[in-house]
Coordinates of all heavy atoms in Angstrom, one line a residue:
M757 N 0.8 -1.2 -0.1 CA 0.0 0.0 0.0 C 0.9 1.3 0.0 O 1.9 1.3 0.9 CB -0.8 -0.1 1.3 CG -1.6 1.3 1.5 SD -2.9 1.1 2.8 CE -4.2 0.5 1.8
P758 N 0.6 2.2 -0.9 CA 1.5 3.4 -0.9 C 1.3 4.3 0.3 O 0.1 4.3 0.8 CB 1.0 4.1 -2.1 CG 0.1 3.2 -2.9 CD -0.3 2.2 -2.0
A759 N 2.4 4.9 0.8 CA 2.3 5.8 1.9 C 1.2 6.8 1.9 O 0.7 7.2 2.8 CB 3.6 6.4 2.2
L760 N 1.1 7.4 0.5 CA 0.1 8.4 0.4 C -1.3 8.0 0.6 O -2.2 8.9 0.7 CB 0.3 9.1 -1.1 CG 1.6 9.8 -1.2 CD1 1.7 10.3 -2.7 CD2 1.7 11.0 -0.2
S761 N -1.5 6.7 0.6 CA -2.9 6.1 0.7 C -3.3 5.9 2.2 O -4.4 5.5 2.4 CB -3.0 4.8 0.0 OG -2.8 4.9 -1.4
I762 N -2.3 6.2 3.1 CA -2.6 6.0 4.5 C -3.2 7.3 5.1 O -2.4 8.4 5.0 CB -1.4 5.5 5.2 CG1 -1.1 4.1 4.6 CG2 -1.6 5.5 6.8 CD1 0.3 3.6 5.1
H763 N -4.3 7.3 5.7 CA -4.9 8.5 6.1 C -5.3 8.5 7.6 O -5.7 7.4 8.1 CB -6.3 8.8 5.3 CG -6.1 8.9 3.9 ND1 -5.4 10.0 3.3 CD2 -6.3 8.0 2.9 CE1 -5.4 9.8 1.9 NE2 -5.9 8.5 1.7
V764 N -5.2 9.6 8.3 CA -5.6 9.7 9.6 C -7.1 9.4 9.9 O -7.9 9.8 9.0 CB -5.3 11.2 10.2 CG1 -5.8 11.3 11.6 CG2 -3.8 11.4 10.2
G765 N -7.4 8.6 10.9 CA -8.8 8.2 11.1 C -9.3 6.9 10.4 O -10.3 6.4 10.7
H766 N -8.4 6.4 9.6 CA -8.7 5.1 8.9 C -8.1 4.0 9.5 O -7.2 4.1 10.3 CB -8.2 5.3 7.4 CG -8.9 6.2 6.5 ND1 -9.4 6.0 5.2 CD2 -9.4 7.5 6.8 CE1 -10.0 7.1 4.8 NE2 -10.0 8.0 5.7
F767 N -8.6 2.8 9.2 CA -8.2 1.6 9.9 C -7.4 0.7 8.8 O -7.9 0.6 7.6 CB -9.5 0.8 10.3 CG -10.2 1.6 11.4 CD1 -11.2 2.4 11.0 CD2 -9.9 1.4 12.7 CE1 -12.0 3.1 12.0 CE2 -10.6 2.1 13.7 CZ -11.7 3.0 13.3
Y768 N -6.5 0.0 9.3 CA -5.6 -0.8 8.4 C -5.3 -2.1 9.1 O -5.2 -2.2 10.3 CB -4.3 -0.1 8.0 CG -4.6 1.2 7.4 CD1 -4.7 2.4 8.1 CD2 -4.8 1.3 6.0 CE1 -5.0 3.6 7.5 CE2 -5.1 2.4 5.3 CZ -5.2 3.6 6.0 OH -5.5 4.8 5.5
S769 N -5.2 -3.2 8.3 CA -4.9 -4.5 8.8 C -3.6 -5.1 8.2 O -3.2 -4.6 7.0 CB -6.0 -5.5 8.5 OG -5.6 -6.9 8.8
N770 N -2.9 -5.9 8.9 CA -1.7 -6.5 8.4 C -2.1 -7.8 7.5 O -1.2 -8.4 6.9 CB -0.8 -7.0 9.5 CG -1.4 -7.9 10.5 OD1 -2.6 -8.3 10.4 ND2 -0.5 -8.4 11.5
G771 N -3.3 -8.1 7.4 CA -3.7 -9.3 6.6 C -3.2 -10.7 7.1 O -3.3 -11.6 6.3
A772 N -2.6 -10.7 8.2 CA -2.1 -12.0 8.7 C -3.4 -13.0 9.2 O -4.5 -12.5 9.2 CB -1.3 -11.8 9.9
Y773 N -3.0 -14.1 9.4 CA -4.0 -15.2 9.9 C -3.8 -15.6 11.3 O -2.7 -15.6 11.8 CB -4.0 -16.4 9.0 CG -4.6 -16.1 7.6 CD1 -3.7 -15.7 6.6 CD2 -5.9 -16.0 7.3 CE1 -4.1 -15.4 5.2 CE2 -6.4 -15.7 6.0 CZ -5.5 -15.4 5.0 OH -5.9 -15.1 3.8
G774 N -4.9 -15.9 12.0 CA -4.7 -16.4 13.4 C -4.2 -15.4 14.4 O -4.7 -14.2 14.3
R775 N -3.4 -15.8 15.2 CA -3.0 -14.9 16.4 C -2.2 -13.7 16.1 O -2.1 -12.7 16.8 CB -2.2 -15.7 17.4 CG -3.0 -16.9 17.9 CD -2.1 -17.7 18.9 NE -2.3 -16.9 20.2 CZ -1.8 -17.3 21.3 NH1 -0.9 -18.3 21.4 NH2 -1.9 -16.6 22.4
T776 N -1.6 -13.6 14.8 CA -0.8 -12.5 14.5 C -1.6 -11.4 13.7 O -1.1 -10.3 13.5 CB 0.4 -12.9 13.7 OG1 -0.1 -13.6 12.4 CG2 1.3 -13.8 14.4
W777 N -2.9 -11.6 13.4 CA -3.8 -10.6 12.8 C -4.0 -9.4 13.6 O -4.1 -9.6 14.8 CB -5.1 -11.3 12.3 CG -6.1 -10.4 11.8 CD1 -6.2 -9.9 10.6 CD2 -7.2 -9.8 12.6 NE1 -7.2 -9.0 10.4 CE2 -7.9 -9.0 11.6 CE3 -7.6 -9.8 13.9 CZ2 -9.0 -8.3 12.0 CZ3 -8.7 -9.1 14.2 CH2 -9.4 -8.3 13.3
G778 N -4.0 -8.3 13.0 CA -4.3 -7.1 13.8 C -4.9 -6.0 12.9 O -4.7 -6.0 11.7
V779 N -5.6 -5.1 13.6 CA -6.1 -3.8 12.9 C -5.7 -2.6 13.8 O -5.7 -2.6 15.0 CB -7.6 -3.9 12.9 CG1 -8.2 -2.5 12.4 CG2 -8.2 -5.1 12.1
R780 N -5.2 -1.6 13.1 CA -4.7 -0.4 13.7 C -5.5 0.8 13.1 O -5.7 0.8 11.9 CB -3.2 -0.2 13.5 CG -2.3 -1.2 14.2 CD -1.0 -1.1 13.8 NE -0.1 -2.0 14.6 CZ 1.2 -2.2 14.4 NH1 1.8 -1.5 13.4 NH2 1.8 -3.0 15.1
M781 N -5.7 1.8 13.9 CA -6.3 3.1 13.5 C -5.2 4.1 13.5 O -4.5 4.2 14.5 CB -7.4 3.5 14.4 CG -8.1 4.8 13.8 SD -9.4 5.4 14.9 CE -8.4 6.2 16.2
V782 N -5.0 4.8 12.4 CA -4.0 5.9 12.3 C -4.6 7.0 13.0 O -5.7 7.5 12.7 CB -3.7 6.2 10.9 CG1 -2.8 7.4 10.7 CG2 -3.0 5.0 10.2
T783 N -3.9 7.5 14.0 CA -4.3 8.7 14.8 C -3.6 10.0 14.5 O -4.1 11.1 14.8 CB -4.2 8.4 16.3 OG1 -2.8 8.1 16.6 CG2 -5.1 7.2 16.7
A784 N -2.4 10.0 13.8 CA -1.8 11.1 13.4 C -0.6 10.8 12.5 O 0.0 9.8 12.5 CB -1.2 11.9 14.6
R785 N -0.2 11.7 11.7 CA 1.0 11.7 10.8 C 1.8 13.0 11.3 O 1.4 14.1 11.1 CB 0.6 11.8 9.3 CG 0.1 10.5 8.9 CD -0.2 10.5 7.4 NE 1.1 10.2 6.7 CZ 1.2 9.6 5.5 NH1 0.1 9.1 5.0 NH2 2.4 9.5 5.0
T786 N 3.0 12.7 11.7 CA 3.8 13.8 12.2 C 5.2 13.6 11.6 O 5.5 12.7 11.0 CB 3.9 13.7 13.8 OG1 4.5 12.5 14.2 CG2 2.5 13.9 14.5
T787 N 6.1 14.6 12.0 CA 7.5 14.6 11.6 C 8.3 14.4 12.9 O 8.1 15.3 13.7 CB 7.8 15.8 10.8 OG1 7.0 15.8 9.6 CG2 9.3 15.7 10.3
D788 N 9.2 13.5 12.9 CA 10.1 13.5 14.1 C 11.0 14.6 14.1 O 11.7 15.0 13.1 CB 10.9 12.1 14.0 CG 11.8 12.0 15.1 OD1 13.0 12.4 15.1 OD2 11.4 11.3 16.1
Q789 N 11.1 15.3 15.2 CA 11.9 16.6 15.3 C 13.4 16.3 15.2 O 14.1 17.2 14.6 CB 11.6 17.3 16.6 CG 10.2 17.8 16.7 CD 9.9 18.5 18.0 OE1 10.6 18.3 19.0 NE2 8.9 19.3 18.0
D790 N 13.9 15.1 15.6 CA 15.3 14.8 15.6 C 15.8 14.4 14.2 O 16.7 14.9 13.7 CB 15.7 13.8 16.6 CG 15.5 14.3 18.0 OD1 15.6 15.5 18.2 OD2 15.2 13.5 18.9
S791 N 15.0 13.5 13.6 CA 15.5 12.9 12.3 C 14.8 13.6 11.1 O 15.3 13.4 10.0 CB 15.1 11.4 12.4 OG 13.8 11.2 12.3
G792 N 13.6 14.2 11.2 CA 13.0 14.8 10.2 C 12.1 13.8 9.5 O 11.4 14.0 8.4
E793 N 12.1 12.5 9.9 CA 11.4 11.4 9.4 C 9.9 11.5 9.6 O 9.5 11.8 10.7 CB 12.0 10.1 9.9 CG 11.5 8.9 9.2 CD 12.2 7.7 9.6 OE1 12.7 7.6 10.8 OE2 12.3 6.7 8.8
E794 N 9.1 11.2 8.6 CA 7.6 11.2 8.8 C 7.2 10.0 9.5 O 7.6 8.9 9.3 CB 6.9 11.3 7.4 CG 5.4 11.4 7.6 CD 4.7 11.6 6.3 OE1 5.3 11.3 5.2 OE2 3.5 11.9 6.3
M795 N 6.4 10.2 10.6 CA 6.0 9.2 11.4 C 4.5 9.0 11.3 O 3.6 9.9 11.0 CB 6.4 9.4 12.9 CG 7.8 9.8 13.1 SD 8.8 8.3 13.0 CE 8.4 7.5 14.5
I796 N 4.0 7.7 11.7 CA 2.5 7.5 11.8 C 2.3 7.1 13.3 O 2.9 6.1 13.7 CB 2.1 6.4 10.8 CG1 2.2 6.9 9.4 CG2 0.6 5.9 11.2 CD1 1.7 6.0 8.4
A797 N 1.3 7.7 13.9 CA 0.9 7.3 15.3 C -0.4 6.5 15.0 O -1.2 6.8 14.2 CB 0.6 8.6 16.1
F798 N -0.4 5.4 15.8 CA -1.5 4.5 15.7 C -2.1 4.0 17.0 O -1.4 4.1 18.0 CB -1.2 3.3 14.8 CG -0.2 2.4 15.5 CD1 -0.5 1.3 16.3 CD2 1.2 2.5 15.3 CE1 0.4 0.5 17.0 CE2 2.2 1.8 15.9 CZ 1.7 0.7 16.7
K799 N -3.3 3.4 17.0 CA -4.0 2.8 18.1 C -4.4 1.4 17.6 O -5.1 1.4 16.6 CB -5.1 3.7 18.6 CG -5.9 3.1 19.6 CD -7.0 4.1 20.2 CE -8.3 3.3 20.3 NZ -9.4 4.2 20.7
G800 N -4.1 0.4 18.3 CA -4.5 -0.9 17.9 C -6.0 -1.1 18.4 O -6.3 -0.7 19.5
V801 N -6.8 -1.6 17.5 CA -8.3 -1.8 17.8 C -8.7 -3.2 17.8 O -9.8 -3.5 18.2 CB -9.1 -0.9 16.9 CG1 -8.8 0.6 17.2 CG2 -8.9 -1.1 15.5
A802 N -8.1 -4.1 17.1 CA -8.4 -5.5 17.1 C -7.3 -6.4 16.9 O -6.2 -6.1 16.4 CB -9.4 -5.6 15.9
G803 N -7.4 -7.7 17.3 CA -6.4 -8.7 17.1 C -5.2 -8.5 18.0 O -5.2 -7.9 19.1
S804 N -4.0 -8.9 17.4 CA -2.7 -8.7 18.2 C -2.3 -7.3 18.4 O -1.6 -7.1 19.4 CB -1.7 -9.5 17.3 OG -1.5 -8.8 16.1
A805 N -2.8 -6.4 17.7 CA -2.5 -5.0 17.9 C -3.4 -4.3 18.9 O -3.2 -3.1 19.2 CB -2.7 -4.2 16.6
R806 N -4.5 -5.0 19.4 CA -5.4 -4.3 20.3 C -4.7 -3.8 21.6 O -3.9 -4.4 22.1 CB -6.4 -5.4 20.8 CG -7.6 -4.9 21.5 CD -8.7 -5.9 21.6 NE -9.9 -5.2 22.3 CZ -10.6 -5.8 23.1 NH1 -10.4 -7.1 23.3 NH2 -11.6 -5.2 23.7
R807 N -5.2 -2.6 21.9 CA -4.7 -1.9 23.1 C -3.3 -1.4 23.0 O -2.7 -1.0 24.0 CB -5.0 -2.7 24.3 CG -6.4 -2.9 24.6 CD -6.6 -3.5 26.0 NE -8.1 -3.8 26.2 CZ -8.6 -5.0 26.5 NH1 -7.8 -6.0 26.6 NH2 -9.8 -5.1 26.6
Q808 N -2.7 -1.4 21.8 CA -1.4 -0.9 21.6 C -1.4 0.5 21.1 O -2.4 0.9 20.3 CB -0.5 -1.8 20.7 CG -0.2 -3.1 21.1 CD 0.5 -4.0 20.1 OE1 0.9 -3.4 19.0 NE2 0.9 -5.2 20.4
H809 N -0.5 1.3 21.5 CA -0.4 2.6 20.9 C 1.1 2.7 20.5 O 1.9 2.1 21.2 CB -0.7 3.7 22.0 CG -2.0 3.7 22.4 ND1 -3.0 4.5 21.8 CD2 -2.7 3.0 23.4 CE1 -4.2 4.4 22.4 NE2 -4.0 3.4 23.4
G810 N 1.3 3.4 19.5 CA 2.7 3.5 19.0 C 2.9 4.5 17.9 O 2.0 5.2 17.4
N811 N 4.2 4.7 17.7 CA 4.6 5.6 16.5 C 5.6 4.8 15.7 O 6.6 4.2 16.2 CB 5.3 6.9 17.0 CG 4.4 7.8 17.6 OD1 3.4 8.3 17.1 ND2 4.5 8.0 19.0
L812 N 5.4 4.8 14.4 CA 6.3 4.1 13.5 C 6.7 5.0 12.4 O 5.9 5.8 11.9 CB 5.7 2.8 12.9 CG 5.4 1.7 13.9 CD1 4.5 0.6 13.2 CD2 6.7 1.1 14.4
P813 N 7.9 4.9 11.8 CA 8.2 5.6 10.6 C 7.3 5.1 9.5 O 6.8 3.9 9.5 CB 9.7 5.1 10.3 CG 10.2 4.6 11.6 CD 9.1 4.1 12.4
V814 N 6.9 6.0 8.6 CA 5.9 5.6 7.6 C 6.3 4.4 6.8 O 5.6 3.4 6.6 CB 5.8 6.8 6.5 CG1 5.0 6.4 5.4 CG2 5.1 8.0 7.2
A815 N 7.6 4.2 6.5 CA 8.1 3.0 5.8 C 7.8 1.7 6.5 O 7.5 0.8 6.0 CB 9.6 3.1 5.5
E816 N 8.1 1.8 7.8 CA 7.8 0.6 8.7 C 6.3 0.3 8.7 O 5.9 -0.9 8.7 CB 8.4 0.8 10.0 CG 8.4 -0.5 10.8 CD 9.2 -0.3 12.1 OE1 10.1 0.5 12.2 OE2 8.8 -1.1 13.1
F817 N 5.4 1.3 8.9 CA 4.0 1.0 8.9 C 3.5 0.4 7.6 O 2.8 -0.4 7.5 CB 3.3 2.4 9.2 CG 1.8 2.1 9.5 CD1 1.4 1.8 10.7 CD2 0.9 2.3 8.5 CE1 0.0 1.7 11.1 CE2 -0.6 2.0 8.8 CZ -0.9 1.7 10.0
V818 N 4.1 1.0 6.4 CA 3.7 0.5 5.1 C 4.1 -1.0 5.0 O 3.4 -1.8 4.3 CB 4.3 1.4 4.0 CG1 4.3 0.8 2.6 CG2 3.7 2.8 4.0
R819 N 5.2 -1.4 5.5 CA 5.6 -2.8 5.5 C 4.7 -3.6 6.3 O 4.4 -4.8 5.9 CB 7.0 -3.0 6.0 CG 8.2 -2.7 5.1 CD 9.6 -3.2 5.5 NE 10.0 -2.5 6.7 CZ 10.6 -1.3 6.8 NH1 10.8 -0.6 5.6 NH2 11.0 -0.9 7.9
W820 N 4.1 -3.1 7.4 CA 3.2 -3.8 8.2 C 1.8 -4.0 7.5 O 1.2 -5.1 7.6 CB 3.0 -3.2 9.6 CG 2.1 -3.8 10.5 CD1 2.3 -4.8 11.3 CD2 0.7 -3.6 10.7 NE1 1.1 -5.2 12.0 CE2 0.1 -4.5 11.6 CE3 -0.2 -2.6 10.1 CZ2 -1.2 -4.4 12.0 CZ3 -1.5 -2.6 10.4 CH2 -1.9 -3.5 11.4
V821 N 1.3 -2.9 6.9 CA -0.1 -2.9 6.4 C -0.1 -3.6 5.1 O 0.7 -3.6 4.3 CB -0.6 -1.4 6.3 CG1 0.1 -0.7 5.2 CG2 -2.1 -1.3 6.1
K822 N -1.3 -4.3 5.0 CA -1.6 -5.0 3.7 C -2.8 -4.4 3.0 O -2.8 -4.3 1.8 CB -2.0 -6.5 4.0 CG -0.8 -7.3 4.5 CD 0.4 -7.3 3.5 CE 1.5 -8.2 4.1 NZ 2.8 -7.4 4.2
Y823 N -3.8 -3.9 3.8 CA -5.0 -3.2 3.2 C -5.7 -2.4 4.1 O -5.6 -2.7 5.4 CB -5.9 -4.2 2.5 CG -6.2 -5.6 3.2 CD1 -7.0 -5.6 4.3 CD2 -5.4 -6.7 2.9 CE1 -7.3 -6.7 5.0 CE2 -5.7 -7.8 3.6 CZ -6.6 -7.8 4.6 OH -6.9 -9.0 5.3
E824 N -6.6 -1.5 3.8 CA -7.5 -0.7 4.5 C -8.6 -1.6 4.8 O -9.1 -2.3 4.0 CB -7.8 0.6 3.8 CG -8.6 1.5 4.6 CD -9.0 2.8 4.0 OE1 -8.4 3.1 2.9 OE2 -9.7 3.6 4.6
V825 N -9.2 -1.4 6.1 CA -10.4 -2.1 6.4 C -11.5 -1.2 7.0 O -11.1 -0.2 7.4 CB -10.1 -3.3 7.4 CG1 -9.3 -4.4 6.8 CG2 -9.4 -2.7 8.7
V826 N -12.7 -1.7 7.1 CA -13.8 -1.0 7.7 C -14.5 -2.0 8.6 O -14.5 -3.2 8.2 CB -14.8 -0.3 6.8 CG1 -14.1 1.0 6.1 CG2 -15.4 -1.2 5.8
L827 N -15.2 -1.6 9.6 CA -16.1 -2.4 10.4 C -17.4 -2.5 9.8 O -18.1 -1.5 9.8 CB -15.9 -2.0 11.9 CG -16.7 -2.9 12.9 CD1 -16.0 -4.3 13.0 CD2 -16.6 -2.3 14.3
K828 N -17.8 -3.7 9.5 CA -19.3 -3.9 9.0 C -19.8 -5.0 9.9 O -19.4 -6.1 9.9 CB -19.1 -4.5 7.5 CG -18.7 -3.5 6.5 CD -19.8 -2.6 6.2 CE -19.4 -1.8 5.0 NZ -20.4 -0.8 4.6
E829 N -21.0 -4.5 10.6 CA -21.5 -5.3 11.6 C -20.4 -5.7 12.6 O -20.0 -4.8 13.3 CB -22.2 -6.5 11.0 CG -23.2 -6.2 9.8 CD -24.6 -6.0 10.3 OE1 -25.0 -6.6 11.4 OE2 -25.3 -5.3 9.6
N830 N -20.1 -6.9 12.7 CA -19.0 -7.4 13.7 C -17.8 -7.9 13.0 O -17.0 -8.5 13.6 CB -19.6 -8.5 14.6 CG -20.6 -7.9 15.5 OD1 -20.6 -6.8 16.0 ND2 -21.7 -8.7 15.8
D831 N -17.7 -7.5 11.7 CA -16.5 -8.1 10.9 C -15.7 -6.9 10.3 O -16.2 -6.0 9.9 CB -17.0 -9.0 9.8 CG -17.6 -10.2 10.3 OD1 -17.1 -10.9 11.3 OD2 -18.6 -10.7 9.7
W832 N -14.4 -7.1 10.3 CA -13.5 -6.2 9.7 C -13.4 -6.7 8.2 O -13.0 -7.8 8.0 CB -12.1 -6.1 10.3 CG -12.2 -5.5 11.6 CD1 -12.2 -6.0 12.9 CD2 -12.2 -4.1 11.9 NE1 -12.3 -5.1 13.9 CE2 -12.2 -3.8 13.3 CE3 -12.1 -2.9 11.1 CZ2 -12.2 -2.6 13.8 CZ3 -12.2 -1.7 11.6 CH2 -12.2 -1.5 13.0
V833 N -13.7 -5.8 7.3 CA -13.7 -6.3 5.9 C -12.7 -5.2 5.1 O -12.7 -4.1 5.5 CB -15.0 -6.4 5.2 CG1 -15.8 -7.5 5.8 CG2 -15.8 -5.0 5.3
R834 N -12.2 -5.7 4.0 CA -11.3 -4.8 3.2 C -12.3 -3.8 2.6 O -13.4 -3.9 2.3 CB -10.7 -5.6 2.0 CG -9.7 -6.6 2.4 CD -9.1 -7.1 1.2 NE -8.2 -8.3 1.5 CZ -7.4 -8.9 0.8 NH1 -7.3 -8.4 -0.5 NH2 -6.6 -9.9 1.1
V835 N -11.6 -2.5 2.4 CA -12.5 -1.4 1.9 C -13.0 -1.8 0.5 O -14.1 -1.5 0.3 CB -11.6 -0.2 1.8 CG1 -12.3 0.9 1.0 CG2 -11.3 0.4 3.2
N836 N -12.2 -2.4 -0.4 CA -12.7 -2.9 -1.7 C -13.7 -3.9 -1.6 O -14.8 -3.8 -2.2 CB -11.5 -3.5 -2.5 CG -10.4 -2.5 -2.7 OD1 -10.4 -1.4 -2.1 ND2 -9.4 -2.8 -3.5
A837 N -13.7 -4.8 -0.6 CA -14.7 -5.8 -0.5 C -16.0 -5.2 0.2 O -17.0 -5.7 -0.1 CB -14.2 -6.9 0.5
A838 N -15.8 -4.1 1.0 CA -17.0 -3.5 1.6 C -17.9 -2.9 0.6 O -19.1 -2.9 0.8 CB -16.5 -2.4 2.6
A839 N -17.4 -2.5 -0.5 CA -18.3 -1.9 -1.5 C -19.1 -3.0 -2.2 O -20.1 -2.8 -2.8 CB -17.4 -1.2 -2.6
D840 N -18.6 -4.2 -2.2 CA -19.3 -5.4 -2.8 C -20.3 -6.0 -1.9 O -21.1 -6.9 -2.3 CB -18.3 -6.5 -3.3 CG -17.3 -5.9 -4.2 OD1 -17.7 -5.0 -5.0 OD2 -16.1 -6.4 -4.3
L841 N -20.4 -5.7 -0.6 CA -21.3 -6.3 0.3 C -22.7 -5.9 0.0 O -22.9 -4.7 -0.3 CB -20.9 -6.0 1.8 CG -19.7 -6.6 2.3 CD1 -19.4 -6.2 3.7 CD2 -19.8 -8.1 2.2
P842 N -23.7 -6.7 0.2 CA -25.1 -6.3 -0.1 C -25.4 -5.4 1.1 O -25.0 -5.6 2.2 CB -25.8 -7.6 0.0 CG -25.0 -8.6 0.7 CD -23.5 -8.2 0.4
G843 N -26.3 -4.4 0.8 CA -26.7 -3.4 1.9 C -28.2 -3.2 1.6 O -28.8 -3.8 0.9
P844 N -28.7 -2.4 2.5 CA -30.2 -2.1 2.4 C -30.5 -1.4 1.1 O -29.7 -0.6 0.5 CB -30.4 -1.2 3.6 CG -29.1 -0.7 4.0 CD -28.1 -1.6 3.5
T845 N -31.5 -1.8 0.5 CA -32.0 -1.1 -0.8 C -33.2 -0.2 -0.5 O -33.9 -0.5 0.5 CB -32.4 -2.2 -1.7 OG1 -33.5 -3.0 -1.2 CG2 -31.2 -3.1 -2.1
T846 N -33.3 0.8 -1.3 CA -34.4 1.7 -1.2 C -35.3 1.5 -2.4 O -34.9 1.2 -3.5 CB -33.9 3.1 -1.1 OG1 -33.1 3.4 -2.2 CG2 -33.1 3.4 0.2
A847 N -36.6 1.5 -2.1 CA -37.5 1.3 -3.2 C -38.1 2.6 -3.6 O -38.2 3.6 -3.1 CB -38.7 0.4 -2.7

């Protein structure tokens, strides 16, 4: 996933299976004052990342993330897949 596609307030998954699966919400994009490196602040919301908070360089976060997700009912689904889910219809 390109770094420019990562947005504050959005949710991302590492796409792993089993105990290593996780979802993180991006809470901020900042610049490290010492190194000048762009950083991503996150909050873990599901799976192995749950209840974790941290800051990672953008490149490291990009290596971790596989795709963006949204919560639909009680399931985390890929953003692309979310558009394909059946929803309520209006008559």
Side-chain angles (χ1 to χ4, degrees):
M757 168 170 275
L760 293 176
S761 298
I762 296 174
H763 303 287
V764 174
H766 290 225
F767 300 89
Y768 301 91
S769 175
N770 63 351
Y773 291 96
R775 300 182 82 180
T776 59
W777 172 82
V779 174
R780 294 174 176 172
M781 179 181 78
V782 174
T783 57
R785 286 184 79 145
T786 60
T787 302
D788 183 271
Q789 291 180 340
D790 295 330
S791 67
E793 189 171 26
E794 188 177 7
M795 304 290 287
I796 291 183
F798 68 88
K799 174 179 138 182
V801 295
S804 64
R806 189 170 182 214
R807 295 189 182 122
Q808 293 179 359
H809 295 267
N811 291 296
L812 292 173
V814 170
E816 191 173 331
F817 191 86
V818 167
R819 277 192 297 276
W820 178 85
V821 71
K822 295 297 181 238
Y823 44 78
E824 186 175 354
V825 294
V826 293
L827 187 61
K828 290 282 187 179
E829 305 272 331
N830 291 324
D831 293 319
W832 289 99
V833 295
R834 291 183 193 196
V835 168
N836 299 8
D840 298 332
L841 293 177
T845 57
T846 56

